[in-house]
Amino acid sequence: DSGVTQTPKHLITATGQRVTLRCSPRSGDLSVYWYQQSLDQGLQFLIQYYNGEERAKGNILERFSAQQFPDLHSELNLSSLELGDSALYFCASSVDQRGYTDTQYFGPGTRLTVL
Amino acid sequence: GENVEQHPSTLSVQEGDSAVIKCTYSDSASNYFPWYKQELGKRPQLIIDIRSNVGEKKDQRIAVTLNKTAKHFSLHITETQPEDSAVYFCAASKAYRGTDKLIFGTGTRLQVFP
């Protein structure tokens, strides 16, 4: 157990719908990262938050958004869902010391299936 | 842009043999190189990592080597066991403007046959 929690574990929804994925980082970790894992794209960085502020964006679609709350949990919102959005979505967290790359610990993931 | 290439995509070995997975990164400013093991349907788990100020690191049966000049790093697993069977991902990162996102390789499926 990495200490990072994600809910829900599985999500099945229809095209056009909107879903919210939730992540709670390890105690003491300030940074949260979201990654998408699909069969043809591998593990792709989506977005990073640090202590409530957006820190970096990857190839995240405009239909996707995220935020980090004062208690440091984060939510990834996916809207106008398409079949191609079906994937495993992982959250990771790290302490994130300035100028130093810390280990990222991954949560168990949310498997999203869009029908 | 930033890119990490990983080879081979699949690797089959006999129990007790060694396995080597190789990665090449494009961004010369990368300074942190973790390796993750992922079992089917589970989260990626860090197994070993190396920073750019070190050329080699070992942890029991697992070792990683880094060649900064060639922008190349490798994972070595000795005395492989069936429980080593999984998908292994290399990644590269750099601390830049406050972000240290991981750029992952495409993964290597390792199968260890008893």
Side-chain angles (χ1 to χ4, degrees):
Chain A
D1 185 4
S2 66
V4 180
T5 60
Q6 289 186 248
T7 56
K9 195 170 182 178
H10 300 281
L11 203 47
I12 301 174
T13 188
T15 54
Q17 294 299 304
R18 173 189 168 94
V19 297
T20 297
L21 282 53
R22 183 188 169 107
C23 167
S24 291
R26 296 186 320 153
S27 176
D29 284 0
L30 298 177
S31 259
V32 169
Y33 312 77
W34 287 96
Y35 293 89
Q36 179 191 55
Q37 186 175 35
S38 55
L39 281 174
D40 58 345
Q41 294 289 328
L43 275 159
Q44 300 278 319
F45 169 73
L46 293 178
I47 197 165
Q48 176 194 359
Y49 276 81
Y50 173 80
N51 203 19
E53 294 185 3
E54 182 184 303
R55 181 67 72 77
K57 266 186 175 179
N59 295 326
I60 187 168
L61 299 171
E62 284 191 13
R63 300 183 285 108
F64 296 1
S65 65
Q67 54 185 326
Q68 186 179 28
F69 295 85
D71 66 353
L72 300 178
H73 91 270
S74 177
E75 293 181 357
L76 179 67
N77 301 297
L78 315 176
S79 62
S80 303
L81 285 168
E82 302 176 358
L83 295 178
D85 297 328
S86 296
L88 260 172
Y89 290 86
F90 287 103
C91 163
S93 74
S94 76
V95 172
D96 197 347
Q97 304 171 67
R98 279 283 177 173
Y100 185 81
T101 305
D102 292 297
T103 300
Q104 292 184 26
Y105 296 91
F106 280 74
T110 293
R111 181 173 294 281
L112 173 66
T113 302
V114 182
L115 301 175
Chain B
E2 302 153 316
N3 185 48
V4 176
E5 292 188 1
Q6 183 172 346
H7 299 282
S9 57
T10 60
L11 182 57
S12 296
V13 300
Q14 206 71 32
E15 182 178 0
D17 288 349
S18 295
V20 179
I21 303 171
K22 299 181 179 182
C23 289
T24 303
Y25 58 98
S26 62
D27 189 343
S28 56
S30 298
N31 57 12
Y32 175 66
F33 308 92
W35 285 87
Y36 285 85
K37 175 184 179 182
Q38 187 180 29
E39 296 175 358
L40 190 61
K42 298 198 174 178
R43 64 185 174 91
Q45 284 188 281
L46 180 76
I47 55 171
I48 196 166
D49 57 10
I50 191 168
R51 298 186 186 273
S52 58
N53 58 348
V54 174
E56 184 173 358
K57 185 177 179 180
K58 200 171 181 179
D59 182 4
Q60 299 183 339
R61 296 186 298 108
I62 295 173
V64 57
T65 58
L66 171 65
N67 181 331
K68 285 190 293 183
T69 303
K71 292 190 284 186
H72 177 269
F73 59 113
S74 300
L75 177 71
H76 303 253
I77 306 174
T78 59
E79 300 171 25
T80 54
Q81 301 167 3
E83 49 266 38
D84 294 328
S85 296
V87 179
Y88 291 80
F89 290 95
C90 63
S93 177
K94 61 183 179 185
Y96 175 70
R97 291 187 179 177
T99 183
D100 49 2
K101 63 185 180 186
L102 293 174
I103 306 299
F104 282 92
T106 48
T108 296
R109 182 174 301 279
L110 174 64
Q111 289 183 301
V112 181
F113 292 99

